[in-house]
């Protein structure tokens, strides 16, 4: 984990704030991907195991 954190910080120019912003953008992208995949997976295949995304506080 430490090495991954160091790599992420280095990739963002060494700034912790910029790194956090980049990670938030990446997380939002992944959440959108999950929502799209949930919408395309049939209920029969998933047997109701996926639920609607809960409301998040910003």
């Amino acid at each position: 984990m430490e090495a991954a954190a160091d790599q992420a910080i280095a990739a963002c120019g060494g700034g912790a704030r910029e790194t956090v912003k980049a990670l938030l953008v990446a997380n939002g992208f992944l959440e959108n991907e999950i929502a799209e995949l949930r919408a395309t997976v049939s209920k029969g295949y998933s047997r109701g195991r996926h639920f609607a995304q809960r409301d998040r506080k910003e």
Side-chain angles (χ1 to χ4, degrees):
M1 274 309 237
E2 292 295 321
D6 290 340
Q7 288 176 349
I9 292 169
C12 293
R17 184 175 187 83
E18 293 302 315
T19 304
V20 170
K21 289 181 354 185
L23 291 172
L24 289 171
V25 169
N27 192 53
F29 173 78
L30 292 173
E31 286 178 350
N32 287 336
E33 287 286 311
I34 290 170
E36 289 177 13
L37 290 171
R38 283 184 177 152
T40 60
V41 173
S42 72
K43 286 220 180 231
Y45 179 77
S46 64
R47 302 206 189 280
R49 283 183 236 158
H50 60 274
F51 304 99
Q53 187 173 8
R54 297 178 185 162
D55 292 331
R56 290 179 33 187
K57 293 184 179 180
E58 296 285 330

